[in-house]
Amino acid sequence: TPFAKTYGQAQWLFQWAFAGAAATIVSGAVAERCAMLSYFIYSCCITGFIYPIVVHMVWSEDGRFSAKRTTRLFGGCGMIDWAGSGVVHLTGGIAALIACIFVGPRTYRFGRHARHLQQQSQVFQTLGVLLLWVGWYGFNGVSTLQLDDYGGMAAHSMMTTTISAATSCLTTTLIAVIIDGDLDVSYSNNGILSGLVAITAGCATVNLYGAFFIGLLAAPIYFTASRSLEYFQIDDVVDAFPVHGCCGLFGVIATAFFTTEFYYANAYPQNISIEGRSRASDCAGIFYGGNGGSLSSAVVFSFVNIAWTGSVMTILMTILKLTIGVRAPEELSELGLDDSKHGGTAHVLSGQVDILETSIRSGFQIGEPGRSLESSRHEQIAIHNQKAPSDIELTQHNEDSVDDTKIDT
């Protein structure tokens, strides 16, 4: 067809974005202390080696767990993962957990000298989550891979995505209020992401009620996993494993319970009638009369994915730790990798605005090119002590002047 070439380019771009998502999940988990070179290497390994094996197993028409096969489907049904709860998010979540274990927690996160680490701007957090939510409609809705004859399926996928995300957001917020006694926007934001991740596998095959219950159940799964990481002193800065790993796994399993015969037949029309009989009724979810084939495929795939991703990441991180190292030097982490590696701070924490303004008026630039690491540390310590660097330098200058006067006398 005239559009065959451009369609292939669109497919490449779509799958490139999915591969990138699997790798970037890890970056947030090890933020503020991962060595830059190790970050580059494991990102290349995930996108170029780990993820391609997983995506072929499920989304290729020849993949062993693919529900798009026309013969010899695993469990008689294949695994239902419409847009990547298992393929993308479980893969990224497991990789994030392994990376967190090897890199270790941030300084002062746990132990005797633990203290509260101030989080970044909740405004930026919320803005980012809302951008992700809108982008998720592209991931889930356009996983039809074409709109001809699939426009209704795309719209349904977006509808279930909305319901699950909103339900999980409200439920997570309520859980946090009940347990902690306050309304933490971070939990609300991660509640949205948990619902999005969980519905991604079955967004096209579950009905609206199923989407509601998937979002409802994703919230306590995320919250419990988040608190479990704290209990085991695993420092996952953005809760990547609870959101993507645990809710991704839950989404894969939940889809095998909530998929309806009608939506399965629409999502996988090639399997409506094979070998003289319909498979839609057999491959529906357990709650809708299915024979369990979809569930067995989901369970086996999850074990295979966890074993594959976990083992490769463990080997890779072990090699990196023994050779170039996986953790940034302590002084760079304390200083902040934005300032030490990228030429300036990415944001200003509350309580430091006035100090920075005073410093800038005095001609003092944080992250100024050419400044030594020791100078940058002096600047950061000045901010931490709530004293303008210009005052410190002025005091030091006055003391030096006095000493010089004494010597001259």
Side-chain angles (χ1 to χ4, degrees), residues 85 133 136-137 140 156-172 188 190-203 206-219 247 250-251 254:
S85 288
W133 193 344
W136 228 282
Y137 293 125
N140 287 4
H156 175 72
S157 298
M158 296 179 191
M159 188 68 181
T160 55
T161 299
T162 304
I163 291 175
S164 179
T167 303
S168 182
C169 172
L170 295 175
T171 307
T172 305
S188 302
N190 275 340
I192 293 173
L193 296 178
S194 299
L196 290 169
V197 170
I199 195 60
T200 295
C203 60
V206 305
N207 59 25
L208 303 184
Y209 297 105
F212 170 79
F213 283 108
I214 288 175
L216 188 69
L217 295 173
C247 290
F250 166 69

Side-chain angles (χ1 to χ4, degrees), residues 13-38:
L13 182 66
F14 197 61
Q15 296 302 331
W16 166 80
F18 272 106
T24 54
I25 287 170
V26 187
S27 64
V30 294
E32 302 181 34
R33 78 265 195 209
C34 183
M36 185 66 67
L37 182 57
S38 293

Side-chain angles (χ1 to χ4, degrees), residues 41 111 202 230 249 254 271 279:
I41 293 174
E230 292 183 14
L249 175 61
N271 288 340
R279 284 192 174 162

